Amino acid sequence: MGTKAENGKERRVPPSVSVVAAGGTEKGTWFVGGGHLGIWREDTIRYTGGAGYADVVMDYYGFNGGLGKHPVRFESTAFGLMQELQFRLGESHFFAGISYRLVDTQNKFDLGSVLPIPGIPALKFDSRSAGVSLSLNYDDRDNMFTPSDGLYAELKLGNYGSAWGGDDNFNKYRLYAKYYQRLSDDWVMGLRGDTEGVDGDAPFYEYPFVDMRGIKVMRYQGKRTALGELELRWSFHPRWALVGFSGVGKTWAGNGKHDSDALYSKGLGFRYLIASKLGLQVGVDIAQGPEDAAFYIQVGSAWKR
């Protein structure tokens, strides 16, 4: 990680990074993919690109978890592609960006998992979403991987539809911020706020959901979501740290009905500084949400979205 002098001050220039990843869950979901983060021209241009394939086996709970204890089991094979360019505005910490995202899926819903009708056929359909987004973000973090100081905030507006290669026409927006403050030599506080929404005829997997540790992916979806999280990290050793976190989120259906209650989660974890030159920590979190506890392996910050 290098530095660049600007107006008598030094700005850290993050390294370019490539990654290949694969994983799976006990329910049968697996994925494989790769991506590249390119830092070009002394961090005046940032490129992010990636592609992956997944075979997903999950439960669908409907808007705001409305199906409750009787979710529909579904399987989905999906290919995803994302390309993004961001350009620094002058010598500031602001970036303007444009991105393209495509998700191509084949879906099968097992209606027999909720309807007691012998021989009921599964619901099968293909769906493709594709869109272009414009973004404006601010980034003065001291580290891109495991920050201890600074702010990252972004406003992103996206248009999806047939003009970009998708099946459905809809708009998405997202506004979020991640703030880190060093309280002392050993303590770091992190705050996260996030709101996301969709307008139009979006496929089920494009509706936003409460994305917090301790809450299942897509467990609580709606036309609009909002959440907040607090995290404290205590470095009791040059390479080891403990973390504690808690958060609250909510979804709205958009029609004044079936909005979710406030959803709380909390948990503990540990971190190990595996790459001191990059400031990269890895570790494990255990979180408790409204229903179940969950186990997470973390590489870098837990707040990746």
Side-chain angles (χ1 to χ4, degrees):
M1 184 177 294
T3 59
K4 175 178 171 56
E6 286 185 353
N7 300 324
K9 298 182 180 180
E10 287 189 340
R11 185 183 80 224
R12 287 195 174 192
V13 178
S16 296
V17 178
S18 296
V19 62
V20 175
T25 71
E26 61 182 8
K27 286 189 174 183
T29 293
W30 63 270
F31 71 91
V32 62
H36 179 71
L37 169 64
I39 306 297
W40 300 338
R41 297 185 61 183
E42 298 295 334
D43 198 21
T44 58
I45 301 175
R46 293 179 177 180
Y47 163 79
T48 306
Y53 177 87
D55 194 342
V56 179
V57 180
M58 291 181 61
D59 293 325
Y60 179 66
Y61 290 86
F63 259 25
N64 303 325
L67 296 179
K69 297 181 180 180
H70 304 286
V72 181
R73 178 62 56 90
F74 77 91
E75 299 180 23
S76 180
T77 58
F79 170 78
L81 172 71
M82 194 276 288
Q83 299 288 305
E84 182 174 47
L85 278 173
Q86 295 180 331
F87 301 89
R88 187 182 293 274
L89 301 182
E91 302 297 334
S92 72
H93 294 293
F94 285 95
F95 289 81
I98 184 170
S99 62
Y100 177 79
R101 177 173 170 270
L102 178 145
V103 179
D104 195 2
T105 67
Q106 295 177 314
N107 309 283
K108 182 174 72 172
F109 279 73
D110 181 13
L111 301 180
S113 62
V114 292
L115 297 176
I117 303 175
I120 186 170
L123 175 63
K124 298 180 181 181
F125 61 94
D126 297 344
S127 175
R128 174 186 290 178
S129 67
V132 170
S133 298
L134 301 177
S135 63
L136 177 66
N137 67 52
Y138 178 91
D139 185 8
D140 70 350
R141 295 169 295 173
D142 61 344
N143 185 287
M144 293 184 70
F145 305 107
T146 310
S148 296
D149 189 73
L151 171 68
Y152 185 90
E154 181 174 80
L155 171 64
K156 178 172 283 190
L157 305 174
N159 175 256
Y160 291 72
S162 56
W164 315 111
D167 296 332
D168 303 298
N169 296 307
F170 60 96
N171 297 313
K172 294 186 76 171
Y173 67 85
R174 186 179 179 208
L175 174 64
Y176 71 96
K178 300 178 285 188
Y179 175 71
Y180 303 88
Q181 175 68 55
R182 185 175 290 280
L183 303 178
S184 69
D185 291 341
D186 301 328
W187 287 89
V188 172
M189 177 187 68
L191 297 171
R192 174 192 176 205
D194 196 326
T195 183
E196 191 171 2
V198 64
D199 178 32
D201 186 22
F204 74 98
Y205 53 84
E206 288 288 4
Y207 282 92
F209 57 88
V210 175
D211 179 25
M212 290 195 305
R213 286 164 286 185
I215 299 179
K216 292 180 180 180
V217 172
M218 294 177 62
R219 175 65 175 87
Y220 294 97
Q221 285 183 284
K223 285 196 171 182
R224 184 163 60 92
T225 63
L227 63 87
E229 280 191 279
L230 166 69
E231 181 177 281
L232 291 174
R233 184 170 78 237
W234 174 42
S235 299
F236 61 90
H237 182 274
R239 284 192 176 269
W240 290 93
L242 294 176
V243 297
F245 52 90
S246 64
V248 59
K250 185 177 174 63
T251 68
W252 290 266
N255 57 8
K257 300 178 181 180
H258 309 300
D259 298 342
S260 77
D261 297 328
L263 306 165
Y264 298 94
S265 71
K266 57 186 176 181
L268 297 171
F270 71 85
R271 299 291 186 271
Y272 175 73
L273 182 62
I274 194 171
S276 57
K277 289 186 178 180
L278 297 178
L280 175 64
Q281 294 182 341
V282 299
V284 167
D285 288 335
I286 299 176
Q288 176 66 56
E291 290 91 18
D292 303 317
F295 173 86
Y296 302 86
I297 297 174
Q298 304 290 4
V299 179
S301 172
W303 299 336
K304 295 180 175 62
R305 290 187 75 241

